[in-house]
Amino acid sequence: MEVRAKPLWTRMAVDSAGGGWPPALTPDAGLRTALAVLDLGMVGTDGSRRAVPSAGASYPYECYILTRDDAGTTGLHQVDPGRRHCQLLSRGPRIDEALRQAALAVPEDGAVIVLATRPWLSMRKYGDRGYLYTQLDTAHLHMNLALAADSLGAGIALRRRPQGLEPLVSEYGECAEAHSTLAVTAVPTGDVPGAEPPGWVVRDARAGRPASLRRQPHWLERLCWESLVNDPAGAPARPPCTAVPPPTAPRRGDRAPLVPRTAFHDRRSATGFAPGTLLARDVLSTVDRALSVLGDVLPDAEAPPRATLVLRQEEPPEAEATGPAGPDVRWLPELSDASVAEAFMAQRHLAAASAVLLLHAPTASLIDEAGGSQLWTVLHHAGALAQLVYLEAARRGLAVTGVGGFDSERWRRLAGLPADHDVVYAVAMGVDTPDAQKLDRLSVAYAQNERS
Ligand SMILES: Cc1cc2nc3c(=O)[nH]c(=O)nc-3n(C[C@H](O)[C@H](O)[C@H](O)COP(=O)(O)O)c2cc1C
């Protein structure tokens, strides 16, 4: 078989969207609020690190913002967090109709942030498991944005898998799924009204070439998507919309934020763990606090994953160290580093983890084919809870990392989990090591046991 140069060369060519710079736009109050939320909860302050973790640093999602202008017309913006670039894609009744379908309202002077997943960005590295990571990664982000908005003083309303927004999302990029929304009430953003929020460029892309606004997935992304979607008409069916809870009251000075602002800046994934153990009570309080805030932010937790905390300290944890809503605790002082590394798919940098939070659920509830699968709900709650553990651990100075490369069966045996459960996610905590290379960030899919 021969690879022919001419068609190959044509395929490899690229052209720019062209059309010059669309005109700059004066962001309305809602957009300014949303960008301030994204700055804290998504972009992060450290140029080399986003505000949220992501398996293999692939960030397999995109973000839209809906706001209303003075005349009450809703506009749809697309955000590029890496470049801190925001563009108005469209405005008008079609967007209002989509919002009506999704039973969503844009708060006055506020905004609705829409997250859409692009599974292929993770699947190109991790294969089928990349879909799991996509759901967990996006849930991390959704929770972080909600907490960031709360810490800025906004009222929030969260929604999972909104029905009705698909047409908007797919109009600007196929092979994507609407994952969740976050409505935020207006907050003062501190910068000059009418100016672009610092560091952001906001443009009216409608003035450019309309065709260039549409992201054309290439064949690899399409192939990935088609492998997921059984229904030829589109994405998997969703349950009908239920009533939307109203936004929480904006946070005033009399209530402390759910998570202090500093935790967002201090968050990072541990690159490994040094030998030694954390105090059991610190780990338990971290997980307790995360579970309690999860219950506050997502009170409709129909299908939370079960949380089991493996502790490796020599001393048994005090009986009263965890609250009634705390995790199940397994004290396993005899668990060896070799067993931990094996159960984490030979990720040796995790071997000395002092504690491992296992999030698990009945396998049957995940794979129910009769339309009642809790898969997306369980993964959403697992990612959201893990984000809370990250932030609480950052606040307390504990090293922490989410771990998607785990052997569910091994952990089930090691921790004595119910035989009919599957682990969906793990969070490891331990003693920090000086910054080493984060293997999971390399292009090789280390957590899948691949070696270059
Ligand atoms: C769903 C998920 C799975 C992850 N799996 C692993 C893993 O198996 N091993 C690991 O060392 N880190 C893992 N991480 C951490 C990522 O490598 C880390 O978030 C990424 O490198 C970016 O670094 P940062 O979190 O410090 O910004 C995971 C993170 C997430 C959100």
Side-chain angles (χ1 to χ4, degrees):
M1 241 174 16
E2 196 189 332
V3 178
R4 289 173 50 230
K6 189 175 167 203
L8 197 59
W9 184 244
T10 317
R11 271 173 63 181
M12 289 191 289
V14 291
D15 64 359
S16 100
W21 292 95
L25 204 66
T26 305
D28 50 43
L31 190 56
R32 296 161 68 75
T33 293
L35 293 178
V37 170
L38 294 188
D39 260 339
L40 187 60
M42 183 180 195
V43 180
T45 44
D46 170 355
S48 68
R49 175 173 295 122
R50 294 247 192 130
V52 276
S54 161
S58 56
Y59 313 100
Y61 36 68
E62 54 195 12
C63 177
Y64 297 89
I65 300 172
L66 294 154
T67 60
R68 275 190 294 159
D69 64 13
D70 293 344
T73 322
T74 312
L76 175 71
H77 308 79
Q78 192 178 44
V79 178
D80 177 343
R83 297 192 178 97
R84 297 182 92 217
H85 187 246
C86 174
Q87 53 178 1
L88 174 65
L89 297 176
S90 148
R91 228 190 242 299
R94 222 175 32 78
I95 297 175
D96 292 307
E97 175 54 23
L99 281 170
R100 210 184 50 72
Q101 289 284 329
L104 275 168
V106 179
E108 198 178 343
D109 285 345
V112 172
I113 299 172
V114 179
L115 301 181
T117 55
R118 286 181 68 194
W120 99 286
L121 291 173
S122 191
M123 293 176 77
R124 66 183 167 175
K125 180 167 180 180
Y126 294 112
D128 290 335
R129 196 162 178 88
Y131 189 77
L132 171 77
Y133 296 163
T134 300
Q135 300 301 318
L136 295 171
D137 283 357
T138 318
H140 269 275
L141 174 62
H142 192 222
M143 174 55 86
N144 210 47
L145 291 175
L147 298 170
D150 170 77
S151 92
L152 291 171
I156 53 176
L158 292 83
R159 194 174 187 105
R160 285 187 319 101
R161 305 196 86 215
Q163 211 184 31
L165 292 183
E166 244 60 31
L168 291 189
V169 168
S170 57
E171 177 162 356
Y172 296 101
E174 294 166 66
C175 310
E177 244 186 313
H179 174 271
S180 51
T181 61
L182 170 69
V184 292
T185 60
V187 288
T189 49
D191 39 60
V192 189
E196 281 176 358
W200 283 92
V201 176
V202 183
R203 297 198 179 270
D204 185 351
R206 295 170 307 166
R209 287 194 327 202
S212 71
L213 296 183
R214 193 185 165 83
R215 177 173 47 73
Q216 292 291 350
H218 60 64
W219 59 270
L220 212 51
E221 181 162 14
R222 261 185 223 292
L223 213 61
C224 229
W225 182 248
E226 280 157 18
S227 78
L228 293 168
V229 181
N230 326 330
D231 171 5
R238 289 160 183 248
C241 279
T242 48
V244 192
T248 56
R251 193 176 62 75
R252 309 257 178 247
D254 53 354
R255 172 170 77 72
L258 293 164
V259 170
R261 202 94 47 98
T262 48
F264 296 95
H265 303 304
D266 295 343
R267 182 220 69 85
R268 58 187 277 277
S269 298
T271 51
F273 298 113
T277 50
L278 302 170
L279 289 175
R281 94 172 95 81
D282 285 347
V283 179
L284 281 163
S285 315
T286 299
V287 177
D288 269 0
R289 172 76 189 151
L291 283 164
S292 141
V293 178
L294 183 77
D296 289 345
V297 178
L298 295 174
D300 64 328
E302 326 93 87
R306 283 260 296 275
T308 299
L309 182 63
V310 172
L311 290 172
R312 298 175 69 197
Q313 286 72 7
E314 277 173 20
E315 295 295 315
E318 295 154 22
E320 66 280 12
T322 181
D328 294 337
V329 175
R330 301 281 191 276
W331 178 50
L332 301 176
E334 74 291 353
L335 187 62
S336 69
D337 283 5
S339 300
V340 172
E342 268 324 300
F344 278 151
M345 312 292 291
Q347 297 190 73
R348 283 207 309 275
H349 61 289
L350 305 176
S354 164
V356 178
L357 178 66
L358 299 168
L359 303 176
H360 51 100
T363 314
S365 73
L366 302 174
I367 60 176
D368 178 2
E369 286 283 359
S373 170
Q374 301 288 347
L375 179 69
W376 291 274
T377 316
V378 167
L379 298 184
H380 197 120
H381 285 97
L385 177 64
Q387 184 59 25
L388 285 161
V389 174
Y390 257 89
L391 293 171
E392 189 58 22
R395 204 174 68 76
R396 292 168 183 267
L398 314 182
V400 60
T401 184
V403 186
F406 56 81
D407 180 329
S408 179
E409 169 60 30
R410 270 180 199 265
W411 274 117
R412 189 163 52 203
R413 271 189 279 116
L414 291 174
L417 305 181
D420 60 346
H421 276 215
D422 255 326
V423 178
V424 297
Y425 195 18
V427 184
M429 281 165 273
V431 178
D432 210 358
T433 48
D435 241 2
Q437 190 178 37
K438 184 77 175 160
L439 295 180
D440 189 47
R441 280 186 172 178
L442 303 181
S443 58
V444 181
Y446 270 99
Q448 310 296 304
N449 266 355
E450 286 187 17
R451 295 290 176 267
S452 53

